[in-house]
Amino acid sequence: MRIGQGCIDFFAELEPSVTVTKQNLADRFRYILRSNTFDVTELERLRREAVPSSGENAAAEDAAPQLAEQTANVDAAVNTPVVVDSDDDGTVAQELELEQMRSTLEEAIVETRSTPLENRPRLPRLALSKWNRAVVRALNPMLVTYLKASRDLCETDSILFGAALAVCRIIGAKISTAGRAAGQSSAIPGWRIRIEERIAKRALISRLICFRSGNTRPRIVRTVRMAFAGANVSLSQPDIMQKLTERIDYLKQRIAAWGKRIRRYTERSTRFNQNRLFQSDQKRPYKTLERPMVSGTGLAPNQADTVAFWRSLWSEPVNHNEGPWTKVVASQCAGITHMDAVIITPDDVAEAVRRAPNWKSPELDGLHHYWLKGFMVCRAVLARHF
């Protein structure tokens, strides 16, 4: 794709704050073609608008207000329940059955409300296509009825997850039937598996000890010969007992070294995970360190003893002996004005969601930021809950 200077100048007029080169525009053009953002008919229409013929120059000026009006209509149709995909020749290619979509949405919400968080299915990542966006926009106004009746944040989250699940079912996306808890990886690291396989050779030590004690069964003798394979040692040598003792001590030392290596690697992995967790959330590492060990032994106190214990602490009046410094601090803080109450608006929620990555790993609820961006009607409800 060859880009001329005219394209650079035209792009600079449209986006004066963005500096691009010919290579940047060519790369963007190739990306649009590879990602199939526009079909062949749409590309041809864009070409005709970009390079109009001589007979179309005069009509282009008259069509400018109409084009602006069409753009406004498209922006206003974001929340319309009817989604129609039509070609330029006027033939309707496909129309969504709203009643069927509403029924799928109802089933998904009811199913999500009765499912624990850990048993929710794992939502797949959707492609950023026109069809997927159209389905999300079609379900957007249907959620108003459910969100108005939502009482708390948990119920709103359940409704949004059900809507996301309905979108995946309508577009035919593959959904994992197993819960997210079952799909979580609990595999042991490869280095630990390899070291533990080496430590599993402790059975060899026990058989060498049995042979040294006088056990000459064929299975024991075969194991001893395998232990001395390649060492030019014969079982009929007069110093075979000394050789056995040296071999046993050598294997014990290797097993002890492997055990220390596992402990060293585990401590290093723990330090690495704590440092990484501290960079993202400084409270969580301290919470994990301060969490008491729950033994589970002994009888739990009954309700009456518990109430009596805490009542003796909180119900008795206490006279605090405040020092003179408290009055000094109170006088210094007398002129400080109170902070205004923080009111979270739907615009605040929209701005926070806009900056969040679409498919970042979700929390326990399994809801990605993509769905909070698509279901725009939830922003006012989320602001009210927050």
Side-chain angles (χ1 to χ4, degrees):
M1 174 65 185
R2 299 184 61 183
I3 303 295
Q5 186 61 35
C7 296
I8 301 295
D9 298 339
F10 182 68
F11 190 88
E13 294 178 1
L14 295 177
E15 297 290 340
S17 60
V18 180
T19 304
V20 296
T21 61
K22 296 181 181 180
Q23 185 63 38
N24 296 142
L25 288 180
D27 293 341
R28 296 184 185 188
F29 179 78
R30 294 192 195 95
Y31 173 77
I32 292 175
L33 293 181
R34 287 197 304 266
S35 59
N36 296 326
T37 306
F38 304 102
D39 54 12
V40 179
T41 307
E42 187 71 14
L43 287 176
E44 185 61 29
R45 185 181 64 82
L46 293 175
R47 289 192 185 97
R48 290 198 305 266
E49 292 180 359
V51 187
S53 60
S54 59
E56 295 175 349
N57 290 333
E61 298 179 358
D62 298 335
Q66 182 179 0
L67 181 60
E69 182 179 359
Q70 291 177 356
T71 305
N73 293 335
V74 171
D75 295 336
V78 170
N79 296 326
T80 55
V82 179
V83 179
V84 178
D85 184 13
S86 58
D87 298 329
D88 286 342
D89 55 1
T91 60
V92 178
Q94 190 172 5
E95 181 177 0
L96 299 177
E97 294 291 341
L98 296 182
E99 292 299 329
Q100 184 177 0
M101 293 178 61
R102 189 174 287 106
S103 176
T104 304
L105 176 63
E106 177 70 22
E107 294 176 0
I109 292 178
V110 173
E111 177 183 346
T112 305
R113 284 177 174 173
S114 60
T115 304
L117 290 178
E118 60 274 8
N119 294 335
R120 287 183 179 180
R122 186 183 299 273
L123 296 177
R125 298 185 178 186
L126 305 184
L128 299 178
S129 62
K130 289 184 176 180
W131 171 251
N132 295 342
R133 288 196 298 267
V135 175
V136 173
R137 291 178 181 178
L139 291 185
N140 207 30
M142 300 181 187
L143 294 175
V144 176
T145 305
Y146 301 97
L147 293 176
K148 284 183 177 179
S150 177
R151 294 166 295 180
D152 53 16
L153 189 60
C154 295
E155 188 174 356
T156 301
D157 177 82
S158 176
I159 295 172
L160 295 178
F161 189 90
L165 185 62
V167 172
C168 295
R169 291 176 177 176
I170 292 172
I171 66 178
K174 186 177 180 180
I175 304 175
S176 176
T177 56
R180 292 180 295 110
Q184 293 178 354
S185 175
S186 60
I188 303 175
W191 58 266
R192 189 182 185 93
I193 295 176
R194 290 190 294 269
I195 297 177
E196 288 180 350
E197 288 176 355
R198 298 171 186 173
I199 296 177
K201 296 180 180 180
R202 287 176 296 185
L204 177 61
I205 298 177
S206 63
R207 293 188 180 183
L208 291 178
I209 295 175
C210 290
F211 182 80
R212 189 176 59 177
S213 302
N215 191 341
T216 57
R217 288 186 299 176
R219 185 177 182 181
I220 301 296
V221 174
R222 285 197 305 268
T223 304
V224 175
R225 287 176 178 172
M226 290 175 58
F228 287 103
N232 196 16
V233 176
S234 176
L235 301 185
S236 60
Q237 291 179 356
D239 58 346
I240 186 62
M241 293 302 172
Q242 182 181 357
K243 297 289 185 182
L244 283 172
T245 303
E246 293 176 356
R247 193 66 178 175
I248 290 172
D249 292 341
Y250 171 73
L251 293 176
K252 287 182 178 179
Q253 291 176 7
R254 293 194 65 181
I255 289 176
W258 287 330
K260 291 181 180 179
R261 185 176 298 181
I262 287 181
R263 288 193 294 271
R264 187 171 69 251
Y265 287 178
T266 302
E267 292 175 358
R268 189 265 176 190
S269 178
T270 303
R271 289 195 302 268
F272 176 79
N273 293 331
Q274 288 178 351
N275 292 336
R276 186 174 58 179
L277 184 62
F278 184 81
Q279 294 177 358
S280 60
D281 188 355
Q282 298 181 2
K283 294 182 179 180
R284 291 178 62 184
Y286 294 107
K287 289 181 179 179
T288 57
L289 294 176
E290 296 173 358
R291 184 174 300 170
M293 297 297 294
V294 180
S295 59
T297 59
L299 297 176
N302 55 25
Q303 184 177 1
D305 295 339
T306 304
V307 172
F309 174 79
W310 289 108
R311 182 171 291 163
S312 63
L313 296 179
W314 295 102
S315 299
E316 299 296 332
V318 178
N319 296 324
H320 298 283
N321 185 14
E322 298 180 351
W325 62 270
T326 57
K327 298 181 180 179
V328 176
V329 174
S331 61
Q332 292 176 352
C333 299
I336 299 177
T337 58
H338 292 280
M339 186 181 68
D340 296 336
V342 178
I343 300 176
I344 299 178
T345 63
D347 294 336
D348 297 332
V349 177
E351 179 63 19
V353 172
R354 183 187 65 82
R355 294 177 295 175
N358 284 343
W359 302 111
K360 185 179 180 181
S361 181
E363 294 294 337
L364 185 61
D365 59 351
L367 194 65
H368 298 88
H369 294 142
Y370 172 82
W371 304 109
L372 298 181
K373 294 180 181 180
F375 300 134
M376 294 180 293
V377 295
C378 72
R379 296 172 182 175
V381 181
L382 290 176
R384 174 166 53 89
H385 291 326
F386 293 149

